[in-house]
């Protein structure tokens, strides 16, 4: 039987490859514009606030807050269907970026709450790590 | 109404009847059959069409593909594809082209075999994409249902909205579906269990798919299609049916942002533009054709359109207010049975225009007496992350 894996990001996608490269060292990164200091997320080559194109990578603490979440109880995906029920969430990092992830490390996902504090829980793969989150 | 522009009208409609073609028809064939019926409905022919609008459901290079397939030589080719809201944008663009004198007869078509393809629109996983946004999200096992559920959960958290209130949308829509023979046949063909009018208890007791959304708050996955013909006033006056005027249009996008509000959709931007152009207010509308991929889509959009304030949608829909036989309480919702209980092949936006037109002609199965004004609001993409909105205000002749 084929071992079904989590679908992983492409490491060659040009806007996001630096983000994923940093995850290998378990660094959760985001960009800030050198000119107007706007936080840019998801990663891009240009600033969406001013017309600048000089962005600097920063490393987030990996701490944040659950903005909202859902518990997936039905999935047809060969990897995720065996994981149900599990919680997916939009997480507001303390540095600003809102990212989509999965909440792990809870016995009952229904016990999670909007506004709950979470921190990154890296899941390692060969070429990168994916930033899952767990209650702080 | 004074100042209202009546420069383009829907003059022909057709909704493809079958929701399960058992693999025997292609999307292109469904589009062509629907187009022929809609042109017949208008009293026009292929040769009258000088503008085509296509969302790419018939294949790549769709403006070219569809013109050759239909045998048209259009002067306007518009292949705007913003998912389920595509057809509201097509109607808006057709009105602009006709008003500018660049076209006289516009043809919008849709065909899908999502059910036959067994394409899991709702609960499939996501592969690693090559768009940067997709490449950030694809490791997460978020289903389409969960995407909308995230908006519903936040709505409940911020405003105290309940599952019972969301269920009002499913119940009213199913009530309308049970009056529509094509919707009942659709539910039979798609092997719905226990096909009947539902109660709020039925909805909240149905299986949870992605908290807090239950099975009966999720749309069906059908085959289907349709067509809409839009014409200039000088063409419309000689058509078989009374014209239904496109009075105002708006379009907008919404995507995740730092500190963004998931409980507000792109409708909050598109609807005011459409109402301003139409010169009317939400309170004047008789019919609300709102894209019902899920209950929360409707709840959110009802607020964003302005029927009630943000966060008050739960209380506003209570007590069966959205039923077609309660005209004094505001607009009737999705009187064809909606995506929840009649037709959802993936991009439902064209059916919103079609049923709104039926209502303003007096041809609906759940006819609102003397309906004069309707809104068709399409939501394409995903409510809980990134989506596009198209608002169209329609008026009877």
């Amino acid at each position: 039987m084929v071992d079904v894996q989590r679908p992983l990001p492409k490491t060659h996608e040009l806007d996001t490859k630096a983000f994923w490269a940093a995850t290998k060292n378990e660094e959760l990164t985001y960009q800030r514009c050198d000119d107007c200091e706007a936080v840019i997320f998801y990663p891009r080559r240009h600033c969406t606030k001013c017309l600048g194109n000089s962005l600097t990578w920063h490393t987030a603490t990996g701490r944040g807050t659950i903005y909202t979440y859902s518990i997936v109880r039905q999935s047809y995906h060969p990897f995720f269907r065996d994981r149900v029920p599990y919680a997916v969430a939009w997480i507001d990092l303390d540095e600003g970026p809102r990212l989509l992830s999965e909440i792990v490390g809870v016995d009952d996902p229904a016990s999670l709450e909007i506004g709950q504090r979470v921190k990154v829980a890296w899941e390692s793969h060969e070429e990168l790590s994916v930033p899952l989150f767990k209650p702080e | 109404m004074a100042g209202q522009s009546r420069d383009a009208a829907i003059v022909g409609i057709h909704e493809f009847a079958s929701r399960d073609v058992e693999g025997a028809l292609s999307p292109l064939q469904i589009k062509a059959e629907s187009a022929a019926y809609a042109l017949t409905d208008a009293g026009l022919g292929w040769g009258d069409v000088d503008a085509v609008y296509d969302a790419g459901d018939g294949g790549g290079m769709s403006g070219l593909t569809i013109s050759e397939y239909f045998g048209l030589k259009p002067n306007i080719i518009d292949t705007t594809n913003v998912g389920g809201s595509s057809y509201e944008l097509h109607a808006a663009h057709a009105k602009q082209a006709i008003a500018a004198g660049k076209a006289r007869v516009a043809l919008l078509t849709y065909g899908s075999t999502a059910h036959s393809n067994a394409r899991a629109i709702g609960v499939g996983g996501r592969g690693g994409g090559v768009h940067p946004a997709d490449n950030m999200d694809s490791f997460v096992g978020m289903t389409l249902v969960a995407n909308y559920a995230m908006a519903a959960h936040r709505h409940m958290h911020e405003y105290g909205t309940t599952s019972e209130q969301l269920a009002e949308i499913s119940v009213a829509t199913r009530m309308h579906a049970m009056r529509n023979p094509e919707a009942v046949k659709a539910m039979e063909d798609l092997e719905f269990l226990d096909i009947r009018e539902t109660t709020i208890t039925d909805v909240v007791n149905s299986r949870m798919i992605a908290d807090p959304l239950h099975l009966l708050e999720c749309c069906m996955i059908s085959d289907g299609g349709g067509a809409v013909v839009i014409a200039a006033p000088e063409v419309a006056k000689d058509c078989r049916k009374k014209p239904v005027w496109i009075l105002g249009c708006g379009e907008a996008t919404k995507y995740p942002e730092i500190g963004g509000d998931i409980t507000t959709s792109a409708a909050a931007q598109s609807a005011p533009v459409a109402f301003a152009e139409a010169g009317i207010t939400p309170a004047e509308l008789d019919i609300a054709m709102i894209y019902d991929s899920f209950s929360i889509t409707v709840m959110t959009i009802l607020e964003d359109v302005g029927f009630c304030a943000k966060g008050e949608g739960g209380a506003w829909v209570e007590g069966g207010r959205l039923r077609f036989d309660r005209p004094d309480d505001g607009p009737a919702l999705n009187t064809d049975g909606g995506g929840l209980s009649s037709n959802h092949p993936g991009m439902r936006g064209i059916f919103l225009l079609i049923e709104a037109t039926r209502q303003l002609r007096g041809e609906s199965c759940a006819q609102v007496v003397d309906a004069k004004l309707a809104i068709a609001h399409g939501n394409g993409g995903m409510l809980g992350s990134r989506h596009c909105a198209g608002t169209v205000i329609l008026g009877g002749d």
Side-chain angles (χ1 to χ4, degrees):
Chain A
M1 184 179 156
V2 179
D3 189 20
V4 181
Q5 298 289 328
R6 176 186 292 278
L8 293 175
K10 306 279 190 279
T11 54
H12 60 268
E13 196 287 312
L14 294 174
D15 276 312
T16 57
K17 67 179 186 179
F19 174 92
W20 290 112
T23 66
K24 193 166 186 182
N25 301 321
E26 302 195 342
E27 290 180 3
L28 187 60
T29 56
Y30 64 97
Q31 295 165 296
R32 185 175 288 151
C33 176
D34 294 343
D35 297 320
C36 76
E37 300 193 335
V39 172
I40 305 299
F41 196 86
Y42 54 85
R44 264 156 277 194
R45 189 162 170 258
H46 66 286
C47 177
T48 55
K49 294 285 186 257
C50 69
L51 293 174
N53 62 356
S54 177
L55 305 179
T56 299
W57 289 93
H58 297 263
T59 302
T61 59
R63 290 185 156 80
T65 304
I66 297 176
Y67 174 67
T68 186
Y69 76 95
S70 176
I71 302 167
V72 176
R73 298 188 185 272
Q74 180 174 328
S75 172
Y76 293 144
H77 187 282
F79 177 77
F80 293 109
R81 69 185 171 205
D82 294 332
R83 290 172 72 88
V84 296
Y86 59 89
V88 294
W90 283 109
I91 291 152
D92 285 338
L93 295 180
D94 290 350
E95 294 81 4
R98 178 173 292 172
L99 60 86
L100 185 71
S101 189
E102 181 181 325
I103 309 286
V104 295
V106 285
D107 293 334
D108 177 12
S111 68
L112 293 168
E113 290 180 16
I114 287 176
Q116 190 170 340
R117 295 287 295 167
V118 290
K119 63 181 178 185
V120 69
W122 292 101
E123 181 185 277
S124 295
H125 295 270
E126 197 170 327
E127 289 186 64
L128 50 80
S129 300
V130 296
L132 309 181
F133 284 77
K134 63 184 179 187
E136 199 171 63
Chain B
M1 179 173 287
Q4 224 169 43
S5 64
R6 300 204 162 201
D7 44 21
I10 295 177
V11 296
I13 53 171
H14 182 73
E15 182 174 3
F16 189 80
S18 175
R19 314 294 200 262
D20 182 7
V21 300
E22 299 178 335
L25 289 175
S26 71
L28 274 175
Q29 291 173 323
I30 293 171
K31 286 161 77 78
E33 180 177 318
S34 298
Y37 276 115
L39 286 164
T40 302
D41 183 52
L44 299 170
W46 292 115
D48 295 306
V49 177
D50 58 4
V52 292
Y53 295 80
D54 202 86
D57 43 305
M61 297 264 267
S62 65
L64 172 59
T65 303
I66 204 72
S67 295
E68 180 178 358
Y69 192 73
F70 291 169
L72 304 174
K73 291 187 166 54
N75 299 320
I76 299 281
I77 301 114
D78 181 323
T79 53
T80 301
N81 180 356
V82 282
S85 59
S86 299
Y87 305 94
E88 280 64 45
L89 272 67
H90 292 172
H93 302 172
K95 175 182 165 76
Q96 290 161 13
I98 290 168
K102 303 285 283 185
R104 296 175 76 244
V105 176
L107 175 63
L108 289 55
T109 61
Y110 173 46
S112 166
T113 52
H115 175 73
S116 288
N117 299 351
R119 191 178 114 207
I121 296 175
V123 288
R126 309 181 56 205
V130 290
H131 186 277
D134 290 340
N135 206 44
M136 295 301 290
D137 296 351
S138 59
F139 72 94
V140 184
M142 179 143 94
T143 62
L144 193 149
V145 186
N147 180 300
Y148 286 73
M150 303 257 254
H153 194 182
R154 186 73 197 187
H155 202 281
M156 291 174 159
H157 175 79
E158 284 197 32
Y159 313 119
T161 312
T162 65
S163 286
E164 286 75 12
Q165 291 170 332
L166 284 165
E168 291 271 2
I169 289 155
S170 303
V171 170
T173 307
R174 175 63 67 85
M175 181 217 185
H176 299 154
M178 294 309 295
R179 301 177 60 88
N180 177 357
E182 286 186 9
V184 172
K185 177 77 164 40
M187 291 187 280
E188 290 169 355
D189 287 351
L190 299 181
E191 299 177 0
F192 274 41
L193 303 173
D194 194 18
I195 299 164
R196 57 173 170 79
E197 287 196 24
T198 51
T199 64
I200 287 166
T201 305
D202 290 330
V203 177
V204 299
N205 286 346
S206 65
R207 182 163 53 91
M208 196 72 90
I209 305 296
D211 302 34
L213 294 180
H214 304 81
L215 176 68
L216 293 180
E217 297 178 78
C218 304
C219 63
M220 63 172 67
I221 300 171
S222 59
D223 295 339
V228 169
V229 181
I230 297 170
E234 67 271 19
V235 177
K237 69 179 170 50
D238 295 325
C239 285
R240 289 178 58 235
K241 303 274 181 68
K242 280 189 190 170
V244 168
W245 299 98
I246 301 173
L247 302 178
C249 306
E251 45 196 88
T253 57
K254 179 88 193 279
Y255 41 80
E257 292 182 284
I258 292 171
D261 173 16
I262 201 173
T263 69
T264 298
S265 78
Q269 182 180 338
S270 65
V273 175
F275 281 113
E277 185 183 358
I280 66 157
T281 65
E284 294 176 70
L285 290 166
D286 303 298
I287 306 298
M289 292 301 302
I290 308 288
Y291 201 113
D292 58 335
S293 41
F294 299 92
S295 57
I296 185 61
T297 324
V298 175
M299 180 76 77
T300 303
I301 294 169
L302 287 173
E303 295 170 345
D304 294 338
V305 161
F307 290 114
C308 59
K310 178 51 63 185
E312 294 177 3
W316 195 77
V317 301
E318 280 183 340
R321 180 178 202 144
L322 302 168
R323 292 161 52 127
F324 84 105
D325 56 358
R326 301 269 299 273
D328 295 338
D329 294 340
L333 175 74
N334 297 344
T335 48
D336 58 344
L340 292 170
S341 291
S342 176
N343 206 354
H344 193 286
M347 299 197 293
R348 182 177 154 68
I350 200 164
F351 307 129
L352 308 174
L353 298 169
I354 290 171
E355 174 65 9
T357 299
R358 287 195 200 107
Q359 282 283 355
L360 299 177
R361 287 175 170 182
E363 296 177 351
S364 174
C365 295
Q367 183 64 45
V368 172
V369 177
D370 203 23
K372 289 186 174 66
L373 288 166
I375 184 172
H377 182 89
N379 190 84
M382 301 201 207
L383 185 75
S385 52
R386 42 192 65 85
H387 61 263
C388 196
T391 309
V392 177
I393 310 287
L394 297 165
D397 195 37

